[in-house]
Amino acid sequence: MIRIKYIDQNIAKILVNDPDPLNMVRARFLAQGLSSSLIVLLLTLPSFYIHAQHLLFFRSVLIIVAQVGLIWVLLKTPKWKLVAHLTCIIIAVLIWSNLFIFLQGIKIISLQFMLLLVVLSYYLLGIKWGVFYSLLSILFMGINFALYGQAAMLTIHNQIEVDNYSFLIVFIFNFLLIIYIQHHFFYAFNETIKQLKIKQEEEKKLNEKLQETITISEQLSKAKTNFLSTISHELRTPLNGVIGMSDLLLLDNPRKEQEENLNILKFSANNLLNLINDVLDINKIESGKVDIEKIPFSIHELINSIFAGFKNRATAKGLVFTLDCSNELNELGVIGDPTRLTQILNNLIENALKFTKDGKVNLTIKVIEKNSKNIRLYFCVSDTGIGIPVEKQELVFESFSQASTSTTRNYGGSGLGLAIVKNLLELHQSNISIQSEVNVGTSFSFEINYTLFDLNQNIPIEPNNKSIENMDISGLKILIAEDNQMNTLLMRKLLAKWNITPDFASNGADAVEAFKTNDYDLILMDIHMPIMDGYEASRTIRNYGDTVKSAVHIIALTASVALDVRNKITEAGINDYVSKPFNPEELRGKIEEIASHKSV
């Protein structure tokens, strides 16, 4: 059968929206069959004309014209079923017209057409029409035998050369058998197609429900993220006032009992801040918003800094805190994420100190494997604390879970520390291992692969929270854009201790107007303000006509911890930012840096 690419492409284009792929196959089969038979008819037409077979000639011409029309309908419209019916009717007409053209009986060609009609009707139009056109064929045979009787059988006998009676029995049986096979096969085939359609519909509905569920889940996740960002901002803003005022009062040389009370207040506020940060961290990790950085740093310096930070806390609690660090790491530089490694170790050490009443906590770091390019390091934090039962050891790595319901009451905490550690290590393609025995102690260990780095190259220095030098910054002209009255009072008191009298603006629009009428060395810009926020105010300042004036240094003071806050700050032209609650020494360090550039 001829396969014409043009025909296939046209039918595919016309039936592109047909939900049943079998219909396209049927239409293509029909078009190819009509095209093939058209060529055959065109080739036989001269023979009929030469041998003066006028009836066959004119019948062939009519069929050719009909086929051309049918092919045109197939290629221009989706009415392939109509074409299939008309094709079956043409074949039936061919069969029945043979009664008048071949009066001597049934020709083999008629039998072929009959079988063709049975097959086409079943496969193109289905069971009901298959039965109908099959009955037409049977009726044709019956009429032939009724009209011509013995002559019909003799005609077949002369063509087939078989016994008349035997031929009649076998012929009828075979013909009925063919019809039965076609009927039975197509029935099974049709049932299979129906089942597939049902499955497709079910799958479509399931996919729609799944997509709907995914959409709802994404909306809930986005809503959760926005909620956490908003509630965090609302919590961090008053915390900034509490911690800031505690710092200011501690700088006023309070009496001993006052200092003790202030330290308790500050400690409690910092615990609340740590809880907020943990919730936000686990949300960032679960949202896939945390990426592992690839920057060079010194393992030795980082570990010693962490150790020094916890040493005093351990001593104050009466614990021995030891460091077992391989000497091989002293001059070793690696490329990785020092911030996330610090976060992992901080969480593990804080846990160890929290759950150890007496005894010791140990931090161990050693080299497992090393070559010219890479190094594999082993980290372990062990303690002599309360321990974790075997059946609870997997539970402690789940968010908001602890080994016992009494743990929170006795030791505090949110149950997020180890969940954060586990997730951060997974981002490092690593896992955490635990060994613990109740009332004996616990050890957490993990391994991380790093790329080696030459420490003789320049390593970016992370800013610390300590003032770079005790320089005079009283001459700086500073504008503070802040809408919260508590924070305004805090900033006024803090800067007064540094002999700075700043100007204040209660929103971004007022800040822009103050900027236009005054010359400032620094603008401390809150992000969330009424009328005009800090982003828009900063962009307006950067677009000001005076390029020297518009280059004023801007530091964002924000309680926002939205995942894209850094990008937005950079895009707005803000030079730097300090998160609320902020450490006064961190802010002073940044101000002193600006003052030093001004003096130069």
Side-chain angles (χ1 to χ4, degrees), residues 195-208:
Q195 291 299 321
L196 286 174
K197 286 182 179 178
I198 292 171
K199 293 295 183 184
Q200 285 178 343
E201 287 298 320
E202 290 176 352
E203 184 179 350
K204 183 180 178 182
K205 290 179 181 178
L206 284 174
N207 285 335
E208 288 174 354

Side-chain angles (χ1 to χ4, degrees), residues 302-310 321 341-342 345-346 349 363:
L302 179 70
I303 295 301
N304 276 280
S305 176
I306 294 171
F307 177 73
F310 284 99
F321 184 32
L341 178 57
T342 300
L345 292 175
N346 280 350
I349 296 170
L363 171 61

Side-chain angles (χ1 to χ4, degrees), residues 88-204:
C88 289
I89 291 170
I90 290 172
I91 296 172
V93 170
L94 274 172
I95 297 169
W96 283 80
S97 64
N98 285 343
L99 283 172
F100 306 99
I101 297 174
F102 305 110
L103 298 177
Q104 68 270 34
I106 300 174
K107 285 283 186 180
I108 292 297
I109 190 69
S110 297
L111 296 177
Q112 290 177 336
F113 279 131
M114 289 164 65
L115 293 175
L116 179 62
L117 180 59
V118 171
V119 173
L120 286 179
S121 60
Y122 267 102
Y123 281 96
L124 293 177
L125 299 169
I127 293 175
K128 291 180 182 179
W129 287 108
V131 171
F132 173 77
Y133 287 110
S134 297
L135 290 175
L136 275 182
S137 300
I138 293 172
L139 185 60
F140 168 75
M141 284 196 302
I143 292 174
N144 254 284
F145 284 114
L147 290 175
Y148 304 110
Q150 187 67 19
M153 286 187 286
L154 287 174
T155 302
I156 298 171
H157 173 74
N158 292 332
Q159 298 174 70
I160 308 299
E161 297 183 354
V162 294
D163 175 72
N164 291 348
Y165 181 77
S166 299
F167 169 77
L168 181 62
I169 298 299
V170 172
F171 178 79
I172 294 173
F173 174 78
N174 286 342
F175 192 78
L176 293 175
L177 183 63
I178 289 170
I179 293 175
Y180 172 76
I181 291 171
Q182 294 299 324
H183 180 88
H184 182 75
F185 180 81
F186 189 81
Y187 177 81
F189 178 75
N190 197 46
E191 286 299 311
T192 303
I193 295 298
K194 285 181 180 178
Q195 291 299 321
L196 286 174
K197 286 182 179 178
I198 292 171
K199 293 295 183 184
Q200 285 178 343
E201 287 298 320
E202 290 176 352
E203 184 179 350
K204 183 180 178 182

